Amino acid sequence: MTRREPAAAGEPVARREPVARREPAIGDDGGAPPVDDFASLVLDVVDSIPPGRVMSYGDIAEYLAAGPGPRQVGRVMSVYGGAVAWWRVIHSDGTPAPGHDSVALRHYLAEGTPLRSARPPVRVDMRRARWPGGSAPVGPAKRTGRD
């Protein structure tokens, strides 16, 4: 396969052949995949966030103290978040998931979540609304060395 030079400005771009669609995996019914252990832990943490409080994707990853990071928390929320209070999981800058400002804002106002801005881009006041989590992580118990 040879590498082509990019088309110069004003020149037509050669069309690529369409990419073949991937056949669904065996057992793939087009719905959400089964919930794995990490996803279950993330959803448990989200369920525990009180009304009017929030956690960032990174807060949840840190709270679980093991395994994947904030991007994987975001992936779990994108696949399964509709089953939990998704608006309570936001970016570290206080903004909700892209495209969800207006719905999230309705929830924030109903729950009394402290806001920095109710106009787009909606922004939660992280200093006042951040929830530090419960007394112990939801994840597996850590060994102390005394066991």
Side-chain angles (χ1 to χ4, degrees), residues 9-144:
E11 288 185 358
V13 177
R15 289 192 164 272
R16 289 182 159 182
E17 290 297 315
V19 177
R21 292 185 56 107
R22 178 183 71 82
E23 290 298 318
I26 295 173
D28 185 0
D29 62 355
V35 178
D36 63 15
D37 291 341
F38 179 71
S40 182
L41 291 173
V42 168
L43 298 174
D44 287 346
V45 172
V46 176
D47 274 339
S48 69
I49 302 171
R53 304 298 296 272
V54 297
M55 289 180 89
S56 72
Y57 299 98
D59 292 340
I60 292 174
E62 185 177 318
Y63 181 74
L64 293 175
R71 289 183 185 269
Q72 288 74 18
V73 171
R75 174 72 179 141
V76 169
M77 293 303 294
S78 73
V79 174
Y80 306 106
V84 294
W86 57 265
W87 58 92
R88 296 181 190 151
V89 181
I90 61 178
H91 297 113
S92 60
D93 67 356
T95 57
H100 297 283
D101 284 24
S102 61
V103 176
L105 178 60
R106 286 196 299 267
H107 288 291
Y108 299 147
L109 294 173
E111 294 182 355
T113 306
L115 299 174
R116 289 182 61 203
S117 172
R119 293 195 176 121
V122 172
R123 196 174 300 262
V124 171
D125 184 338
M126 289 297 286
R127 189 177 52 78
R128 293 176 35 219
R130 178 176 267 140
W131 186 61
S135 58
V138 176
K142 294 203 184 256
R143 295 202 170 268
T144 62

